[in-house]
């Protein structure tokens, strides 16, 4: 099986501009490809997994990855998949986030001379003269075609700013620039980026000739990938300070039965033959498959040692019903409890809910327990003495556990 055939077998390939040429370049290790990452936070999330593992797979076969940090495009904001405008970040914020991204990416891909490169599109986009850009690039884009692009359609009701309307041109210019200066002949990204990415391919061919070998491949991130990395409205971060290895493990341990095999194929490096055998598993065996998925991904991000600790903690919690030392824990000063803290206040403090209102709704739905007793009212108070009695564990839903310590 060729590498490209394996990508297809793993369910990764959505659309390509020239499948025969894409397959040849990838299989022969001759692709210099980029994937873009806009720096909207100081950590990558589990939603970036598909892109990171693709870069790792392609680099292992001799292809050269370019991790493109969107220092320039982040200052505009991608409207794809959005119903409102993204928060505007300062250049200092973006630079800080880019440094955090590189540290996390180094666990997946190898940077250095002749290896992977990290570029920042601020290096060329921020130097552009607007009138010159209009003359050089503007004539290559049809406004009618741009308005038909999926990335803009869902913004009509709330309005699409002219700032965001330029995003497609900026992203297209990135490919055009890297094609000329870095020999980048392939772009990869989520299927929701197809319109933006085709803009880059078309720009190169119109400016540099129809025979220019520039290729586009998109991954199936419009369906499975877009929901990866989110749970209860919160992102699942790769930074252990934001999402602990235990919480990260539990997120993947709790994927739905219908998704576990799909995630194993797309995100892990387990042999396809092994996953094919697991496809036959049913009932309680699916829990074993989820453990394998969680272990493999936690190992990739946090190390095998952390994955093993998370596995053992998970087994202790779900098997024996005990309280694990690796369970996510929040320490609260005794003085902060005062005469008592409501359960919604405590849940927000422990980051089990985004707001007191969210916590109240969970309680009203019967989804919150404390030490295995259902919380009947959002007005229930928790005192420092309650927490000091012994292990104090809040459970949200069926599978999210959190320990509270009074110090």
């Amino acid at each position: 099986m060729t590498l490209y055939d394996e990508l297809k077998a793993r369910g990764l390939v959505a659309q390509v501009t020239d499948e025969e040429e894409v397959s040849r370049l990838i299989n022969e290790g001759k692709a210099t490809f980029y994937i873009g990452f806009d720096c909207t936070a100081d950590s990558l999330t589990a939603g970036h997994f598909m892109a990171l593992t693709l870069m790792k797979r392609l680099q292992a076969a001799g292809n050269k990855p370019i991790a493109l940090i969107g220092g320039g495009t982040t200052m505009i904001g991608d409207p794809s998949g959005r119903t409102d405008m993204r928060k505007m970040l300062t250049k200092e914020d973006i630079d800080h986030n880019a440094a955090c991204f590189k540290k996390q990416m180094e666990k997946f891909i190898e940077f250095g001379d002749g290896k992977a490169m990290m570029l920042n599109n601020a290096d060329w986009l921020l130097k552009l003269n607007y009138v010159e850009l209009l003359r050089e690039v503007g004539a290559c884009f049809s406004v009618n075609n741009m308005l038909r692009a999926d990335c803009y359609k869902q913004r009509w009701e709330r309005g699409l700013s002219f700032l965001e309307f330029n995003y497609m041109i900026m992203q297209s210019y990135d490919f055009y620039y890297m094609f000329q200066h870095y020999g980048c002949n392939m772009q990869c990204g989520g299927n929701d980026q197809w319109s933006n990415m085709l803009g880059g391919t078309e720009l190169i061919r119109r400016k540099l000739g129809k025979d220019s070998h520039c290729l586009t491949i998109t991954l199936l991130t419009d369906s499975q990938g877009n929901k990866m990395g989110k749970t209860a409205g919160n992102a699942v971060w790769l930074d252990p300070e934001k999402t602990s290895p235990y919480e990260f493990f539990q997120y993947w341990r709790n994927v739905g039965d219908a998704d576990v095999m799909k995630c194993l194929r797309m995100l892990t490096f387990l042999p396809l033959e092994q996953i094919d055998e697991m496809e036959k598993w049913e009932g309680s065996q699916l829990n074993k498959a989820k453990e394998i998925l969680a272990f493999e991904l936690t190992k990739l991000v946090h190390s095998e040692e952390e994955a093993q600790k998370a596995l053992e903690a998970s087994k202790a919690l779900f098997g024996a019903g005990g309280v694990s030392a690796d369970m996510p824990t929040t320490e609260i000063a005794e003085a902060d409890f005062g005469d008592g803290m409501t359960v919604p206040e405590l849940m927000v403090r422990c980051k089990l809910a985004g707001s007191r209102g969210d916590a109240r709704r969970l309680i009203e739905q019967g989804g919150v327990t404390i030490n295995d007793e259902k919380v009947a009212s959002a007005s229930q108070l928790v005192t420092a003495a309650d927490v000091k009695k012994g292990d104090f564990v809040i459970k949200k839903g069926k599978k999210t556990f959190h320990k509270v310590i009074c110090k």
Side-chain angles (χ1 to χ4, degrees), residues 17-262:
T17 51
D18 183 337
E19 186 167 50
E20 183 178 347
E21 186 65 4
V22 166
S23 175
R24 184 187 68 79
L25 283 180
I26 287 176
N27 294 337
E28 294 178 4
K30 294 180 178 178
T32 297
F33 67 98
Y34 93 90
I35 299 180
F37 299 84
D38 275 353
C39 311
T40 52
D42 59 0
S43 173
L44 296 167
T45 73
H48 292 105
F49 246 122
M50 221 176 287
L52 294 172
T53 56
L54 177 71
M55 296 174 88
K56 184 177 177 70
R57 293 181 206 279
L58 295 185
Q59 186 177 42
N63 299 287
K64 186 175 181 180
I66 298 175
L68 179 64
I69 297 301
T73 42
T74 302
M75 299 186 80
I76 296 175
D78 182 5
S80 301
R82 302 284 298 188
T83 57
D84 56 3
M85 189 167 157
R86 295 180 187 271
K87 177 184 175 183
M88 301 284 280
L89 300 177
T90 66
K91 186 178 184 302
E92 291 71 24
D93 289 337
I94 294 169
D95 289 344
H96 170 73
N97 294 346
C100 295
F101 278 20
K102 184 175 183 181
K103 185 177 179 181
Q104 293 171 354
M105 288 177 181
E106 286 172 340
K107 295 183 178 180
F108 291 82
I109 55 179
E110 188 176 356
F111 292 96
D113 292 341
K115 299 175 183 175
M117 289 187 289
M118 175 169 278
L119 303 177
N120 188 329
N121 62 17
D123 292 342
W124 54 84
L125 292 182
L126 299 188
K127 297 176 183 177
L128 290 173
N129 176 287
Y130 189 59
V131 174
E132 289 179 1
L133 177 69
L134 289 178
R135 288 178 61 87
E136 181 180 8
V137 176
C140 299
F141 285 83
S142 161
V143 172
N144 289 357
N145 290 338
M146 292 175 71
L147 293 177
R148 284 194 289 268
D150 290 338
C151 60
Y152 295 138
K153 284 181 180 177
Q154 57 190 322
R155 292 298 303 280
W156 290 129
E157 290 186 11
R158 295 198 179 191
L160 176 72
S161 71
F162 183 70
L163 177 72
E164 295 171 291
F165 188 63
N166 280 269
Y167 191 91
M168 181 185 291
I169 295 174
M170 296 295 97
Q171 183 172 333
S172 300
Y173 189 88
D174 284 341
F175 193 22
Y176 173 60
Y177 185 92
M178 289 185 291
F179 181 85
Q180 295 180 90
H181 293 86
Y182 295 96
C184 181
N185 53 17
M186 185 181 298
Q187 56 180 337
C188 306
N191 202 33
D192 55 345
Q193 293 287 315
W194 181 246
S195 298
N196 286 345
M197 295 168 74
L198 284 183
T201 302
E202 182 61 20
L203 176 60
I204 290 171
R205 289 176 176 168
R206 292 192 64 175
K207 294 293 294 183
L208 303 177
K210 291 290 184 181
D211 294 331
S212 300
H213 290 290
C214 53
L215 302 159
T216 297
I217 176 172
T218 64
L219 309 176
L220 288 173
T221 55
D222 57 337
S223 53
Q224 180 65 23
N226 277 354
K227 69 182 181 181
M228 286 179 185
K230 295 241 180 219
T231 178
N234 298 314
V236 178
W237 306 99
L238 304 195
D239 183 346
E241 297 300 317
K242 290 175 171 288
T243 299
S244 72
Y246 175 84
E247 292 171 305
F248 187 83
F249 182 97
Q250 287 301 128
Y251 171 74
W252 297 106
R253 170 63 179 77
N254 295 331
V255 299
D257 290 354
D259 291 331
V260 61
M261 293 302 165
K262 186 185 299 182

